[in-house]
Amino acid sequence: MDSSTLFGIATIGYILAMVTYIVYIAFRNKTIGIIASTITIVSFIAHTGAFFMRWYEGYIMGLRSLWHPPISNLYESIIFFVWCLILGYIIIEIKYTNRSFGAFVTPIAGLALAFIEMTGMSKEIEPLVPALQSNWLLAHVTMSFISYALFGLSFATALMYLIEKTEKKTEPAYIFWSFSLGILIVLLIAMTMDYLEFHVAATTSENIKNYLFKATFKSANSVVAITSWIGSFIIIGMVWAFGHHLKRLIGALNVTPELLDELTYKTVAIGFPIFTLGGLIFGAIWADQAWGVYWSWDPKETWSLITWFVYAFFLHARLMRGWRGKRAAIVSVIGFVAVVFTYLGVNLLLSGLHSYGSLS
Amino acid sequence: MAEKEKSFVDRLWDFFASVKLAIVLFSLIALTSIIGTVIEQNASPEKNIIVLKRLVGENLAPTVYRILDILGFMDMYHSWWFVTLLVLFAMNLIICSLERLPRIWNLIKEPVKPLNPERIPAFPIRKEIVIRHSPETVREALVQSVKQLGFKPMNSPLEDGGYQLYAQKGNWSRLGVYITHLSIIMIMIGAVIGIFFGFNGFLNLPEGYTSDVAYSRKDSKPHPLGFSIRCDDFDVEFYGMSDMPKDYRSWLTVFKDGKEVMKKMIEVNSPLKFEGYTFYQSSYGMLSTGRGFFIFKVKGPGGKTETITKIMGESFIIPGTNIKGTIKKFSPALAISQDGKTYTYAQMMNNPAVYIEFTENGKPKYSGWILKRYPQTWRLPDGSIVQFIDYWGVQYTGLQVRKDPGVWIVYLGCVVMAIGLYMAFFMSHKRIWLIASKAKEGTLIRILATANKNRAGFERKVETLVSNLNREV
């Protein structure tokens, strides 16, 4: 067995776990909950094994030294992000003996893994180009992803908090969460359709590398594309219209809003210093060592600074001005959107406009 | 009423001391920064007009470009208004901290005092237990349990023969926020020093050449270094037989006042530092007019090895034989096509090869390509070995040259920030009181505690303390 087989098992496991957690939330059956947790933990063990195996494979192939764990390209870093996220989730599940966060955390992992498949990014173990052979970079990447995972957890709990605490459909906080959740669901469905069309049905014989949204928004067939846009507005509208049922489901799970609020804060409070040190400072030191410039306002650096300001905003608003509850939760959701943009948006959207770092 | 009498300076101070301003500035800096990531900074106008055409359409693009250009968005992170935002941010940070520091300082310096057992204020953490022993017998166990939590308890007797243990720790952690703020100011000061007193330039140095200047990135003007630097050699190492670069290396020598003072091999991530200047490996290339030296290690059948340096067209003798080799052709990157023809596939030295004709006593013997990266091509039919070491003097190393007198302040700021963040987020100011008073059944122990952060975590620890006491005593 090689690492990619194990990664495959873990990927399928996480997606199964996602479905099981959602079923658990809907029916609140304890057995289903235990099954969901078991699937998650088994997948996590497979994932951990795959990680070390890939590390060893890179070493055996003579492409990397033992000092370089497999976290050096887009594929490996997303896999590592998912690993941190699930680890953080398992810790929370055990510490607070509560399974209901699973239905909100596993979809983030599912989205990340689906993204790998749809974009057809390279999964090869690549040799490290000279600039990447740095211990600073290693510390930078590891800590960045630990903090991203913590911000991801904070996003999930903030979203749950908003769902539980909003009353009226006209309330800005309600509109905010229903739109955010709606977009998340639309993305998940669109990626599933990509998967069905290009992997299962395989309707095209062309060798397209990047499948992302080709079955929906970016379809060559304009009818399909327009229908997809209309469909997503309908889905978002439906989340808005029927969102109050979700509130009942979560309300029945004995997660108090206070616990969610505390978790949102705690994950940011741990993630922020790690992000500052690992994401910003170590990144700057690495750039300084490799290129002789510690800060050059390139889009990646600027976006990580924007993310830093959003979370600094969160902490100051909360600790100094007493922002609690809904307002703080909204900032936390925005913070994670900035994280995702820093990580993927800069490469995906801005590289479409400019010339740097694209997917292939 | 007092509000109205405030002077202008006071009002200015209040303006900068507000957290509201901080939150507004966070948002403004973050939001405006986004624009600079969409518009390519310091790029040619055509590039950004193309970007704008995609965003706002063909017709509006030139107008939008002109407006953005006037507002400084083409180099926005150095524009007057963005710098103003950063200055406001720095002032806000300083004044906010100064405003709050005295109060925090008092909290830190304030010693923990025993409580009045008759009038205990409401504490967030409070527990009570009764133990069937006299206060004196449990004293040692109580002291030990408080010490186990990391406190050094002080003792004060009560009137009824009981006593009170009280302690605090982590009071200095309250400074964490201010240390973090200070570190941001330090990083900003370091950056400003770098901008005004630093030098950012480049130097393309061919193998064998010496230079006593570097060239500014801004205007390409020569900038005297005060010493000279020579490139002895440059080399690219590849992964296995692929063309994936594994390492770029330059061997550099520094001369000061005509004397050699330093020799170092630099790589990406491992620069050379001398007298405040740092030389980074940043690029490389081939000289268009290059005429270099072929270096071979030649071993004859008799086993004698010689190192030979020749230029194009020259000949050499394999030691111990009459065989003469003449250098005829060179390719920086040799490949063989499917029909067996050789061709050069790149301009860089990816696969250097040299074509040599061998003759014995004037008669042609054999000829062929010798490749630097393929040892099997070094062996001649008669057993001699001609190892192609290097074609020296045709490559240049591209060095990034930087002098930044502020960088150590930036680094110091980073260290201070790490300390500050740790104190601010992972430490807390904890206080605890244990009041042991005489009761009918033995001793009534009241435990009161506070923590300015992570109160739930501290409460769990206090609960463990209580259950341990119940078990042990």
Side-chain angles (χ1 to χ4, degrees):
Chain A
M1 199 191 297
D2 61 357
S3 64
S4 51
T5 320
L6 266 183
F7 273 131
I9 292 172
T11 306
I12 295 167
Y14 289 145
I15 289 169
L16 261 177
M18 172 177 93
V19 175
T20 323
Y21 274 119
I22 291 169
V23 173
Y24 166 70
I25 273 229
F27 295 100
R28 272 164 279 147
N29 178 320
K30 206 178 168 203
T31 321
I32 295 174
I34 293 170
I35 293 171
S37 302
T38 314
I39 298 174
T40 309
I41 290 171
V42 170
S43 312
F44 180 74
I45 293 168
H47 189 166
T48 312
F51 178 82
F52 284 106
M53 227 180 238
R54 189 176 169 100
W55 192 337
Y56 184 66
E57 283 163 9
Y59 171 69
I60 287 291
M61 288 159 79
L63 299 178
R64 292 165 182 190
S65 78
L66 274 182
W67 297 109
H68 293 114
I71 47 173
S72 64
N73 61 14
L74 191 58
Y75 169 71
E76 290 176 341
S77 60
I78 293 178
I79 289 284
F80 184 65
F81 164 74
V82 172
W83 189 84
C84 295
L85 186 75
I86 298 291
L87 176 66
Y89 168 68
I90 291 175
I91 291 171
I92 289 181
E93 183 178 304
I94 292 170
K95 197 173 166 190
Y96 294 90
T97 53
N98 198 315
R99 289 202 174 85
S100 42
F101 311 114
F104 286 81
V105 176
T106 45
I108 303 174
L111 264 178
L113 295 168
F115 180 80
I116 292 175
E117 291 304 320
M118 294 318 122
T119 50
M121 63 181 70
S122 165
K123 294 181 184 174
E124 296 298 310
I125 301 180
E126 287 153 356
L128 292 179
V129 297
L132 296 184
Q133 298 161 17
S134 159
N135 291 333
W136 287 113
L137 180 69
L138 197 67
H140 164 65
V141 174
T142 317
M143 290 174 72
S144 296
F145 279 97
I146 292 171
S147 62
Y148 288 1
L150 285 161
F151 293 150
L153 290 171
S154 158
F155 165 78
T157 51
L159 211 53
M160 286 171 79
Y161 180 89
L162 289 172
I163 295 172
E164 258 198 85
K165 279 297 246 192
T166 43
E167 301 292 337
K168 275 181 282 173
K169 280 181 191 161
T170 46
E171 207 179 326
Y174 182 92
I175 295 169
F176 179 83
W177 80 250
S178 57
F179 269 63
S180 307
L181 189 67
I183 291 167
L184 200 73
I185 293 170
V186 165
L187 289 177
L188 261 175
I189 293 175
M191 284 194 192
T192 312
M193 306 239 309
D194 288 329
Y195 186 77
L196 292 178
E197 178 156 351
F198 294 103
H199 282 244
V200 182
T203 47
T204 53
S205 54
E206 282 173 75
N207 187 15
I208 307 174
K209 252 195 119 184
N210 189 340
Y211 296 112
L212 193 64
F213 303 140
K214 290 264 162 69
T216 49
F217 306 113
K218 285 185 172 176
S219 172
N221 185 335
S222 55
V223 178
V224 174
I226 293 167
T227 318
S228 306
W229 283 106
I230 296 170
S232 23
F233 286 120
I234 292 173
I235 291 171
I236 294 171
M238 273 168 56
V239 175
W240 176 79
F242 300 107
H244 56 281
H245 294 294
L246 256 180
K247 179 181 165 165
R248 248 196 334 185
L249 286 179
I250 294 175
L253 285 166
N254 78 65
V255 263
T256 59
E258 290 70 36
L259 175 64
L260 291 170
D261 187 50
E262 185 194 319
L263 278 173
T264 306
Y265 168 70
K266 268 194 177 165
T267 39
V268 172
I270 302 171
F272 183 76
I274 297 177
F275 177 68
T276 312
L277 194 66
L280 292 173
I281 295 183
F282 288 175
I285 295 176
W286 168 61
D288 190 33
Q289 297 279 317
W291 317 118
V293 190
Y294 56 81
W295 190 264
S296 58
W297 292 106
D298 84 8
K300 202 92 183 172
E301 287 172 343
T302 310
W303 266 99
S304 55
L305 188 69
I306 292 168
T307 304
W308 186 82
F309 270 115
V310 176
Y311 284 109
F313 182 113
F314 173 88
L315 291 167
H316 285 83
R318 192 186 164 100
L319 296 174
M320 301 301 299
R321 301 211 42 96
W323 280 31
R324 296 272 143 151
K326 283 183 243 174
R327 283 193 292 181
I330 289 173
V331 180
S332 158
V333 170
I334 293 172
F336 190 62
V337 172
V339 166
V340 174
F341 201 88
T342 305
Y343 185 46
L344 298 175
V346 171
N347 296 43
L348 279 176
L349 300 178
L350 296 180
S351 76
L353 291 170
H354 307 306
S355 51
Y356 38 74
S358 69
L359 265 175
S360 56
Chain B
M1 282 156 279
E3 295 285 314
K4 279 180 188 166
E5 288 158 23
K6 276 190 172 171
S7 70
F8 175 72
V9 177
D10 282 341
R11 265 182 294 159
L12 200 64
W13 178 274
D14 288 350
F15 173 73
F16 278 114
S18 83
V19 178
K20 227 181 222 163
L21 176 68
I23 289 178
V24 169
L25 285 172
F26 288 171
S27 317
L28 276 178
I29 294 174
L31 287 172
T32 51
S33 290
I34 296 175
I35 300 168
T37 65
V38 175
I39 291 173
E40 197 170 331
Q41 299 294 292
N42 299 309
S44 62
E46 297 80 43
K47 256 188 175 172
N48 277 323
I49 288 178
I50 291 170
V51 169
L52 287 173
K53 273 180 184 167
R54 283 189 210 167
L55 292 175
V56 297
E58 204 65 42
N59 298 331
L60 275 174
T63 324
V64 173
Y65 180 86
R66 226 166 299 135
I67 294 167
L68 290 175
D69 192 24
I70 291 166
L71 292 174
F73 275 100
M74 298 306 139
D75 187 13
M76 68 156 274
Y77 302 110
H78 303 104
S79 68
W80 64 269
W81 56 266
F82 194 76
V83 173
T84 308
L85 279 179
L86 291 179
V87 170
L88 286 176
F89 173 66
M91 285 172 66
N92 179 222
L93 197 60
I94 294 168
I95 293 174
C96 249
S97 306
L98 288 179
E99 168 90 359
R100 283 162 184 78
L101 202 52
R103 215 166 50 224
I104 296 296
W105 188 253
N106 286 339
L107 273 176
I108 291 167
K109 294 311 273 180
E110 190 187 17
V112 57
K113 289 187 196 99
L115 299 169
N116 177 359
E118 310 300 322
R119 289 175 55 199
I120 295 171
F123 275 97
I125 305 172
R126 49 191 309 164
K127 311 272 170 219
E128 276 187 20
I129 43 170
V130 179
I131 288 172
R132 293 174 183 282
H133 293 286
S134 73
E136 270 322 299
T137 27
V138 294
R139 183 196 287 265
E140 195 43 40
L142 283 186
V143 170
Q144 280 313 316
S145 66
V146 179
K147 277 188 178 165
Q148 257 176 22
L149 289 185
F151 291 97
K152 291 189 191 87
M154 283 176 289
N155 201 325
S156 123
L158 294 181
E159 281 167 8
D160 68 346
Y163 50 87
Q164 190 175 156
L165 298 173
Y166 56 96
Q168 68 171 348
K169 69 168 183 178
N171 40 343
W172 291 100
S173 73
R174 286 186 185 268
L175 274 184
V177 173
Y178 304 94
I179 293 175
T180 309
H181 287 177
L182 173 74
S183 74
I184 294 171
I185 298 297
M186 287 170 76
I187 290 171
M188 287 174 117
I189 291 172
V192 169
I193 291 175
I195 289 165
F196 285 104
F197 303 103
F199 168 73
N200 187 5
F202 64 94
L203 175 62
N204 290 341
L205 202 55
E207 290 170 318
Y209 279 69
T210 309
S211 172
D212 54 8
V213 293
Y215 299 89
S216 166
R217 287 240 177 246
K218 257 188 237 143
D219 45 19
S220 299
K221 273 189 191 143
H223 169 91
L225 296 169
F227 55 88
S228 54
I229 187 157
R230 184 180 73 197
C231 173
D232 298 322
D233 198 4
F234 172 79
D235 183 40
V236 185
E237 193 190 331
F238 296 92
Y239 278 100
M241 286 298 135
S242 74
D243 274 6
M244 278 288 269
K246 185 177 184 181
D247 207 357
Y248 306 114
R249 289 176 296 200
S250 300
W251 283 261
L252 304 175
T253 309
V254 179
F255 298 91
K256 174 98 185 171
D257 304 323
K259 263 179 273 169
E260 182 186 316
V261 284
M262 192 180 202
K263 238 179 159 53
K264 191 180 179 203
M265 190 257 299
I266 67 162
E267 301 164 280
V268 181
N269 287 316
S270 163
L272 177 149
K273 287 181 183 160
F274 188 75
E275 286 192 348
Y277 288 92
T278 313
F279 296 83
Y280 299 86
Q281 182 69 60
S282 89
S283 66
Y284 71 102
M286 293 283 281
L287 297 170
S288 49
T289 56
R291 271 185 72 84
F293 296 89
F294 294 92
I295 302 169
F296 300 102
K297 211 174 228 175
V298 186
K299 188 176 162 211
K304 218 176 144 244
T305 307
E306 267 178 38
T307 303
I308 289 166
T309 305
K310 294 287 167 196
I311 62 166
M312 179 68 79
E314 282 189 330
S315 305
F316 59 90
I317 302 284
I318 294 172
T321 67
N322 291 326
I323 299 172
K324 188 169 86 171
T326 308
I327 303 164
K328 289 290 183 188
K329 286 188 269 186
F330 171 76
S331 164
L334 189 79
I336 298 174
S337 64
Q338 277 178 337
D339 52 0
K341 280 185 185 145
T342 54
Y343 64 98
T344 297
Y345 69 91
Q347 293 309 306
M348 296 296 197
M349 293 242 273
N350 283 12
N351 190 19
V354 57
Y355 192 87
I356 303 180
E357 274 178 15
F358 292 97
T359 57
E360 190 167 24
N361 304 322
K363 272 176 256 159
K365 205 164 163 67
Y366 20 78
S367 60
W369 286 101
I370 292 177
L371 287 84
K372 186 184 170 190
R373 292 176 65 191
Y374 289 82
Q376 60 267 36
T377 63
W378 302 345
R379 185 173 287 275
L380 301 183
D382 68 343
S384 319
I385 291 169
V386 180
Q387 182 184 353
F388 182 19
I389 304 275
D390 198 7
Y391 185 34
W392 186 86
V394 290
Q395 282 180 299
Y396 67 82
T397 179
L399 302 172
Q400 153 97 346
V401 185
R402 197 195 55 174
K403 180 183 184 176
D404 190 343
V407 78
W408 68 272
I409 302 176
V410 173
Y411 276 176
L412 194 65
C414 291
V415 173
V416 172
M417 185 183 271
I419 297 168
L421 285 172
Y422 185 83
M423 286 169 72
F425 285 99
F426 299 121
M427 286 168 76
S428 63
H429 182 191
K430 301 185 186 82
R431 283 178 293 175
I432 190 166
W433 291 264
L434 272 79
I435 304 171
S437 47
K438 269 208 178 111
K440 273 185 212 157
E441 314 270 307
T443 310
L444 168 71
I445 302 168
R446 279 172 291 176
I447 301 167
L448 306 134
T450 64
N452 69 333
K453 263 167 280 168
N454 192 15
R455 195 200 299 147
F458 189 40
E459 188 158 10
R460 272 193 291 277
K461 281 191 174 159
V462 172
E463 273 160 12
T464 326
L465 181 147
V466 169
S467 63
N468 284 350
L469 277 178
N470 270 329
R471 199 154 22 91
E472 285 165 24
V473 188

